[in-house]
Amino acid sequence: MKNKARFALIPEVRRTVANFFGAKTENTALVPNFSLGLNMLLEGLNEKSRVLLLKDDYPSVNWPFEYRDFQVFYTEIGENLEENILEKIRKEDISVLALSLVQWVNGVKIDLDFLKTLKNEFPDLMIIADGTQFCGTVNFDFEASAIDVLGASAYKWLLSGYGNGFMLFKDSVKDKFSIKTMGFNSSNNDIDGRDK
């Protein structure tokens, strides 16, 4: 059963998740939940990153950044959310925007077209998004979006139960992280794949 899961089931689930969200299979990671995936990822992000968070965003988005030595800035959630984000990015030379696509306390949803406009003006801005409250509510094409990293716990609208999550990555972010967390499955079971 272990070998069947390792060589058949897990790769099939990974392909299915990637296909469902318009992502590349090789840039799709299966994780137990968003929190663990984000924390592992941030261990490899440059500590000099200037990060913009939304005040009172979901703790699993904000706490991992706040606990580390990043320069963290905040903007308010409200009716002028997109304008507030744009103003703060222009003023503070932000390198990473991290946010939930849908806010957990009030259901405010970020305008995905705004993120594209933002990315056009700031092409080097890395956008990291929590899709836990978002994924499964509308059709979504990750590769066509402005989001660089999308993670989600799949227990909400994807109805997958606890212990199921994923992280999707654009090719462009691979060189921006120096990941320190790895295992044999990370190499697709390739004994020579540790450094790939």
Side-chain angles (χ1 to χ4, degrees), residues 29 56 72 115 120 163 188:
D56 300 321
V72 177
L115 294 180
N120 285 336
N188 286 326

Side-chain angles (χ1 to χ4, degrees), residues 73-153:
F73 302 85
Y74 298 90
T75 193
E76 298 286 333
I77 300 169
E79 65 181 281
N80 298 317
L81 175 60
E82 286 83 4
E83 292 84 4
N84 293 344
I85 290 171
L86 181 58
E87 179 183 320
K88 201 63 133 174
I89 289 173
R90 285 178 175 160
K91 180 181 176 188
E92 302 295 348
D93 190 31
I94 299 296
S95 55
V96 177
L97 169 63
L99 74 169
S100 296
L101 295 178
V102 175
Q103 291 302 305
W104 69 303
V105 292
N106 56 19
V108 169
K109 179 181 171 186
I110 192 76
D111 182 346
L112 297 178
D113 288 333
F114 163 74
L115 294 180
K116 284 183 179 180
T117 302
L118 195 62
K119 196 71 166 176
N120 285 336
E121 185 173 342
F122 304 97
D124 293 331
L125 175 70
M126 186 186 332
I127 300 175
I128 299 176
D130 176 6
T132 301
Q133 303 281 347
F134 169 79
C135 293
T137 62
V138 296
N139 288 333
F140 178 71
D141 184 338
F142 175 70
E143 284 295 323
S145 79
I147 299 166
D148 298 293
V149 178
L150 174 71
S153 295

